[in-house]
Amino acid sequence: MPALLRRYWVAGALLVTAACSDPQPAATETARPAPAADTAVVRPAAPTPPPAPDTTAVHDVAAFLAGLPVSQGSELRALTAGPEWQRFAADADRSWQQYHGTRTDKMETWARQELDSVRRLSPVVFYPFSGPDFLNAATVFPGSSTYVLVGLEPVGSVPGAASLQNPRLFSAVKTSLWSVLNFNFFRTNSMAVDLKSVELDGALPLILLFAARTQHQVTGVQYVQLDREGQLQPADSLAAASKLIPGVEVQLRSAAGQEKKVYYFSADLGDWKLTQTKGAVLQYVRSLGPLTTYVKSATYLMHKPYFSQVRNLILERSRYVLQDDSGIAMKYFQPADWRFVHYGTYQKPIPMFAMYYQPVLTQAYQDSVRKPRPLPFGTGYNWRVNASNLLLATRRQTPAE
């Protein structure tokens, strides 16, 4: 391999994710951080992972993938001068400008008005069935200090020299982002193909891209794993991590200077698979204290009886749940324990998920006393403006630490 870009390579092989016990997970949303809110340290403290590559180099890779300028001294500057990257960057800027105008700006304004107190009490955001969607989590909860994302997609690696010099990388990135930038969610079946290519081998490259596009500086990348007790452990290699619950820790600094950590774990959250792994992912999430759970475009998995463990964890450990109708079915929320605010418009699910229609939501949206509040942007599978819904469920009593 030529000396150029050699330092960008992160040792390791592709992580292989467990087979899914149900067709699809999901996720998506947008970004650009706001002023930092209260922060919290992830508990329990994790062992120090192995040293990461040069952090300036890793951030330059994130910027390169995002179509943004790299640092002055970066060896990637030679590649950004090429016509292929120049066309890719110009196209990316146009796509993101449109996305921000139709979604990010409206989401940020709405979240500041409607979620002000929620965001102050949301140091830890749990985003199950998310895939690599740091984008939406950072947009809705920009002041959180810890984000835990879980999906079926493999963890992946920081793209190395061969991928960065391969012109096919640009089409792979555009293909992976197409549904996000147009509909605001990942298509699970497409992701199963898009994130198993040579150019994009998992969730990590897109998390890095989203970090750069949400004005975060990438300050570190460490591979981690969860043991059977749900303890966070360093992964000396991707091969070692594949035997447990593989994951990655991405360390970030926001434009306001706030230090953050994004964890992504490749794991199946179905009851059968959780039984096999002793619920390691849920044990870890449970240790983080009261949560704010965010769910969107989650293929209605938690409506099903065999996703009861993750559903119960959310209901037991969440201070807030912000979700569209594809999250937890209303029948599982006990009104004595929760207060509800509905936003937007509830329509029947798209034909693929028609069997998950909830008459109780139709009734809630027709309540003339507690009328639903406006939702000025589209989200979820009914992604058009004035066709989307969100529920903010607030627990009446905060879960114990």
Side-chain angles (χ1 to χ4, degrees):
M1 181 172 73
L4 179 64
L5 308 178
R6 187 186 303 274
R7 65 185 179 135
Y8 296 103
W9 183 252
V10 176
L14 179 67
L15 289 168
V16 180
T17 188
C20 178
S21 65
D22 216 83
Q24 313 172 159
T28 6
E29 285 214 37
T30 118
R32 298 185 213 166
D38 296 339
T39 60
V41 177
V42 175
R43 298 179 293 106
T48 302
D54 174 30
T55 56
T56 302
V58 174
H59 181 75
D60 282 332
V61 172
F64 184 87
L65 293 171
L68 295 171
V70 299
S71 62
Q72 191 68 31
S74 172
E75 294 179 5
L76 286 174
R77 285 183 67 83
L79 290 181
T80 63
E84 295 90 351
W85 188 88
Q86 291 285 326
R87 286 193 295 269
F88 166 73
D91 183 65
D93 282 343
R94 285 191 296 270
S95 297
W96 282 100
Q97 183 177 12
Q98 179 181 3
Y99 182 79
H100 291 319
T102 57
R103 283 199 170 78
T104 309
D105 296 344
K106 295 177 181 179
M107 290 177 69
E108 289 178 340
T109 300
W110 174 84
R112 281 195 300 271
Q113 294 172 347
E114 298 292 336
L115 304 180
D116 181 54
S117 61
V118 174
R119 298 200 298 188
R120 288 198 301 269
L121 295 171
S122 298
V124 179
V125 174
F126 176 43
Y127 189 177
F129 314 106
S130 64
D133 183 30
F134 176 61
L135 176 62
N136 280 299
T139 301
V140 180
F141 299 103
S144 298
S145 58
T146 303
Y147 304 82
V148 180
L149 281 55
V150 183
L152 291 179
E153 294 76 20
V155 173
S157 59
V158 178
S163 293
L164 296 173
Q165 296 179 70
N166 189 339
R168 291 186 303 175
L169 172 67
F170 306 133
S171 60
V173 171
K174 290 172 66 175
T175 299
S176 297
L177 295 183
W178 183 84
S179 66
V180 174
L181 297 181
N182 285 278
F183 307 119
N184 202 30
F185 61 85
F186 284 112
R187 292 180 172 178
T188 305
N189 292 340
S190 298
M191 291 286 284
V193 176
D194 296 340
L195 296 187
K196 291 183 180 178
S197 67
V198 174
E199 293 77 29
L200 295 177
D201 62 359
L204 178 56
L206 291 186
I207 293 174
L208 296 176
L209 185 160
F210 290 146
R213 277 288 173 179
T214 53
Q215 302 178 21
H216 289 84
Q217 180 81 17
V218 180
T219 59
V221 174
Q222 302 287 352
Y223 295 105
V224 295
Q225 56 193 354
L226 294 175
D227 63 22
R228 286 182 170 269
E229 283 68 51
Q231 298 294 311
L232 190 67
Q233 305 289 349
D236 295 327
S237 70
L238 292 176
S242 67
K243 296 180 180 179
L244 299 172
I245 300 297
V248 66
E249 175 191 288
V250 182
Q251 300 155 19
L252 305 176
R253 183 180 300 114
S254 75
Q258 182 188 7
E259 302 293 333
K260 304 182 180 186
K261 291 183 179 180
V262 180
Y263 293 92
Y264 174 79
F265 296 104
S266 178
D268 187 328
L269 295 176
D271 289 352
W272 179 79
K273 184 59 71 172
L274 287 172
T275 299
Q276 287 189 321
T277 60
K278 295 187 177 180
V281 173
L282 302 189
Q283 291 186 65
Y284 172 71
V285 173
R286 185 180 294 276
S287 74
L288 303 180
L291 310 168
T292 292
T293 298
Y294 178 52
V295 188
K296 65 174 291 294
S297 308
T299 61
Y300 300 85
L301 293 176
M302 289 187 290
H303 284 229
K304 302 176 182 181
Y306 44 95
F307 279 84
S308 64
Q309 293 185 45
V310 63
R311 181 177 63 238
N312 290 341
L313 170 76
I314 292 169
L315 294 174
E316 291 169 8
R317 299 299 297 154
S318 296
R319 179 186 278 119
Y320 303 103
V321 177
L322 181 67
Q323 64 168 33
D324 65 13
D325 64 300
S326 75
I328 297 175
M330 290 301 297
K331 66 182 180 181
Y332 294 111
F333 286 96
Q334 297 299 320
D337 297 332
W338 298 88
R339 295 191 301 270
F340 307 113
V341 179
H342 296 281
Y343 294 93
T345 302
Y346 179 64
Q347 297 184 349
K348 291 183 177 181
I350 61 175
M352 182 185 300
F353 304 118
M355 69 286 293
Y356 301 113
Y357 167 65
Q358 299 181 73
V360 65
L361 274 181
T362 295
Q363 295 174 8
Y365 275 81
Q366 294 174 346
D367 191 326
S368 59
V369 177
R370 291 171 294 182
K371 295 181 179 180
R373 298 182 186 178
L375 189 67
F377 56 90
T379 187
Y381 297 125
N382 282 313
W383 52 271
R384 293 178 175 84
V385 180
N386 300 323
S388 302
N389 67 83
L390 280 176
L391 165 71
L392 174 63
T394 302
R395 194 177 181 87
R396 296 182 185 276
Q397 293 186 340
T398 300
E401 293 286 344

